[in-house]
Amino acid sequence: MNINSIFHAAQAAFLVFKNLSGKEKGRFLDTLAEILESSRAAIVPLAVRESNLLEGRINGELGRTTGQIRLFANLVKEGSWVEATIDPAMPDRSPLPRADIRRFLTPLGPVVVFGASNFPLAFSTAGGDTISALAAGCPVIYKAHPAHPETSRKVAECIHQTLAACGLPVALFTHVEGGIEEGQELVKHTMAKALAFTGSHAGGMALFHLANQREVPIPVFAEMGSVNPIFCFPQKLEKENDALAKAFVASLTLGAGQFCTNPGLIFVPEKQVQNFGKAIATELKDMAAAPMLHPGIAKAYYDSIQSLKARNELCWVKVADPKHLINGSPALAEIKAADWLKDRFFHQEVFGAFALLVIYRNQEELLEIAQQLQGQLTITVWAEEEELADQLSLVNLLEEKCGRLIFKGVPTGVEVGHAMQHGGPFPSTTASQSTSVGSHAIKRFTRPIAFQDMPQKLLPEALMDANPLGIWRTVNGILTK
Ligand code: NAP
């Protein structure tokens, strides 16, 4: 099938799917979760072989994938997510009467989704982007990631099996394989209404520019990575030195560091650096190298380490050993805050288990660091509560720089729920107003529309006076059923 016929079929399917009730969309998603679960024995070995990730991790990732599918199923079955807002007419209002205005979220149409290499299931074929788009009512044209083609085909098969079982058009989901050119053709197609992407900064920005050069630009939800800084405060380190070092190294090396929330930067006060650095070195000493997703990612990791090794400002605590090739061996270097502040080269993400420990001297330096930080998915603050009492300026600055501010634990491990925000200011993403994880992710694939003085019978059910769906709506500014 050529790209033009893919989009025409998707647009035809959209017109059917868009008007399906939330209950029916929810049934489709629940069935998909069941079919994926029942195909576990076929999917897991493929994903393990193609990603080098451990069986336990892939099994967990499949559970996370079906869990998020069920989250969206429940969301659309309940229905209030459309944010129905009604300002009824006020014909007697003076000096001018008010028209009847009703607003809700409507799906965009066919959208293009690029799968991620580091989550072969949860951020790929039936991952969060695909599922939130389908839940919103949008057909998905999915560009498979070349790192796990067989896994992707198998999951696509499950989606098509589900569509057939639910009597829905097959063109609601199209699996496209190919390279950069095919991906770009999808983004350029006039019928594409949005694009979602998780991957490198270079890839995300290339697609962002392409989408904006179209005659009709489209929204781009690109998640391009982050260094997820951790800010350590003295009293906290005094109290929990070894436990925090352990937690940090476990988070840094989890999945060979191939998480978008991997902590690649840690700011440590000068007085504590000796103790804390020593505890980290102890944890890292026997940490084995772990296989990376594919040779290209391993090469990119070692190339980045090589370019860092050429810099005199760094003092290496543990150096990654490139003889491991496909295996990413963890690495850590220290740098003074004054040097880190001078050169943006040290602010970049190294995708893998590498972190930079930055030694700060005082409060002024800490504020300067926060000013200079680029946009991040997460920022973590390790401090005793009393240490934060006079840190409002710092906390406010950090709030400007990230999508999720964490005060306990580590940045890895992203809960899939209603309150989650996984997305932050540029360059971590191209759309900081949105999230790619959690139920708010559905809104990326919708736009608001208002109906003015529309006859009751023509209105979508969500906006009818009788509220036949029984959803929560804002009427005259008050939330009500
Ligand atoms: P990637 O190179 O950005 O590729 C992701 C997807 O985008 C692939 O399908 C790729 O197509 C496509 N693509 C890349 N550049 C493109 C362009 N200019 N035009 C059109 N399509 C393009 O990411 P990756 O392969 O997963 O890993 C490479 C690096 O990405 C890693 O080393 C890491 O730095 C980063 N990464 C970041 C995250 C994150 O959490 N944000 C996740 C994974 C990887 P092809 O089919 O041709 O490959």
Side-chain angles (χ1 to χ4, degrees), residues 412-446:
T412 42
V414 183
E415 184 67 35
V416 182
H418 299 292
M420 181 43 73
Q421 174 57 25
H422 188 67
F426 187 84
S428 65
T429 75
T430 52
S432 65
Q433 309 90 324
S434 65
T435 177
S436 59
V437 176
S439 55
H440 285 287
I442 196 171
K443 293 184 195 158
R444 295 174 298 169
F445 305 108
T446 66

Side-chain angles (χ1 to χ4, degrees), residues 258-423:
Q258 301 165 113
F259 286 106
C260 42
T261 50
N262 184 258
L265 258 185
I266 183 158
F267 298 99
V268 179
E270 196 172 29
K271 277 200 186 122
Q272 266 78 21
V273 80
Q274 207 177 355
N275 267 353
F276 193 54
K278 207 164 119 195
I280 290 179
T282 309
E283 289 299 324
L284 276 174
K285 194 160 80 56
D286 300 321
M287 198 58 79
M292 297 193 81
L293 293 159
H294 60 77
I297 285 198
K299 182 176 183 308
Y301 175 67
Y302 286 113
D303 286 351
S304 301
I305 300 279
Q306 274 314 110
S307 54
L308 284 163
K309 275 168 74 181
R311 299 297 301 256
N312 294 331
E313 295 92 329
L314 299 181
C315 165
W316 289 83
V317 175
K318 183 172 169 93
V319 186
D321 181 355
K323 79 167 186 289
H324 289 297
L325 297 171
I326 183 77
N327 286 351
S329 110
L332 186 114
E334 290 178 2
I335 185 170
K336 290 199 175 86
D339 290 331
W340 183 83
L341 284 165
K342 268 189 232 148
D343 195 339
R344 289 244 157 199
F345 177 70
F346 299 121
H347 301 207
Q348 291 168 30
E349 179 186 20
V350 173
F351 194 72
F354 168 77
L356 208 48
L357 186 155
V358 182
I359 307 160
Y360 70 88
R361 281 175 306 164
N362 50 38
Q363 177 72 11
E364 289 68 46
E365 232 171 31
L366 208 52
L367 285 170
E368 183 57 23
I369 287 166
Q371 297 268 20
Q372 297 275 334
L373 267 187
Q374 295 188 314
Q376 308 287 339
L377 293 171
T378 74
I379 294 178
T380 302
V381 177
W382 281 347
E384 289 295 301
E385 216 169 307
E386 57 272 23
E387 291 185 285
L388 291 176
D390 55 357
Q391 292 289 351
L392 191 62
S393 309
L394 178 76
V395 172
N396 282 342
L397 259 178
L398 298 183
E399 204 179 305
E400 268 180 47
K401 300 292 173 94
C402 70
R404 181 162 57 107
L405 193 53
I406 303 165
F407 289 91
K408 216 178 188 178
V410 291
T412 42
V414 183
E415 184 67 35
V416 182
H418 299 292
M420 181 43 73
Q421 174 57 25
H422 188 67

Side-chain angles (χ1 to χ4, degrees), residues 114-119 143-147 178-181 183-184 187 197-204 206-207 210 223-226 258-261 293-294 296-298 300-301 349-351 377 422 428:
F114 285 75
S117 60
N118 59 340
F119 279 90
K143 160 66 174 61
H145 198 288
I180 288 188
E181 200 182 320
Q184 296 193 344
V187 176
F197 166 95
T198 303
S200 65
H201 182 80
L207 293 170
L210 196 64
E223 198 238 276
M224 304 177 293
S226 168
Q258 301 165 113
F259 286 106
C260 42
T261 50
L293 293 159
H294 60 77
I297 285 198
Y301 175 67
E349 179 186 20
V350 173
F351 194 72
L377 293 171
H422 188 67
S428 65

Side-chain angles (χ1 to χ4, degrees), residues 82-91 98-106 447-468 471 473-477 480:
V82 297
E83 296 179 354
T85 309
I86 301 174
D87 286 344
M90 289 181 173
R98 183 173 84 179
D100 179 285
I101 303 176
R102 297 169 189 240
R103 178 193 201 264
F104 83 154
L105 300 177
T106 191
R447 66 184 173 85
I449 179 164
F451 300 100
Q452 189 162 327
D453 291 324
M454 193 174 197
Q456 278 288 318
K457 277 192 183 152
L458 285 182
L459 280 169
E461 284 188 317
L463 296 174
M464 287 176 172
D465 276 349
N467 192 10
I471 58 174
R473 313 189 298 180
T474 305
V475 180
N476 266 327
T480 173

